[in-house]
Amino acid sequence: MAFTGKTYELEKEENFGAFVDSLGMPPERAEFFKNFKPVHKVEKNGDVYTLTAQCPTETVSVSFKIGEEFDESLSARIARSKFTLDGNTLNQEQKFDNGCVINYKREYLGDKLKTTLTNNKWNGSAVRYYKLKA
């Protein structure tokens, strides 16, 4: 995995505010996510991966094995999550008890990371672009 151990900084985004709004979360939490400009890193230890998104006020980290579904704790909610890997594309699906399903497609393209976000309650998509941190 050419992308493990590398740190990526958010560079720009498209449609992310609309994506967050489509999730129907409380306004203060939605504002937090709209302003969350993370530094992103994936590390691997054996067959366990750890994905970390960090900004000055909060760090979010999740550990997983490729292809294994697990319960992911997200603030006050739990999602049933699963990661798959296709070359340098790391896909994640989160299923919530309210029927919402969020998909993340993380494409590692050399010194760039492109993350496309969709959910089943919205017809659009959002993209976040990252660059390799110097």
Side-chain angles (χ1 to χ4, degrees):
M1 306 309 114
F3 57 85
T4 57
K6 295 181 180 176
T7 303
Y8 297 85
E9 297 175 297
L10 184 66
E11 195 171 31
K12 65 180 180 173
E13 56 194 18
E14 297 169 357
N15 230 11
F16 188 68
F19 168 77
V20 172
D21 289 342
S22 76
L23 298 174
M25 58 181 67
E28 64 281 351
R29 196 69 182 149
E31 277 308 304
F32 168 80
F33 280 107
K34 288 177 185 178
N35 294 313
F36 189 64
K37 310 294 185 204
V39 173
H40 176 93
K41 186 174 190 176
V42 175
E43 297 175 289
K44 186 175 187 242
N45 184 3
D47 60 349
V48 176
Y49 291 80
T50 300
L51 176 110
T52 302
Q54 182 178 11
C55 74
T57 59
E58 188 169 330
T59 298
V60 178
S61 188
V62 61
S63 294
F64 57 92
K65 291 182 178 181
I66 298 296
E68 290 187 14
E69 202 170 51
F70 65 98
D71 289 332
E72 181 180 0
S73 180
L74 304 160
S75 301
R77 302 192 62 198
I78 301 290
R80 202 70 189 141
S81 288
K82 184 178 180 179
F83 285 82
T84 57
L85 185 61
D86 181 13
N88 281 333
T89 301
L90 183 64
N91 297 296
Q92 179 184 8
E93 179 181 73
Q94 293 175 324
K95 296 178 185 176
F96 294 87
D97 57 6
N98 67 356
C100 183
V101 179
I102 300 174
N103 289 289
Y104 303 82
K105 180 180 180 181
R106 296 177 178 95
E107 298 173 88
Y108 295 88
L109 309 163
D111 63 348
K112 302 286 184 187
L113 164 60
K114 177 184 173 187
T115 301
T116 304
L117 304 99
T118 59
N119 74 64
N120 66 332
K121 303 211 178 253
W122 183 50
N123 290 330
S125 65
V127 181
R128 298 186 105 187
Y129 299 90
Y130 299 79
K131 64 180 179 178
L132 192 61
K133 188 174 178 179

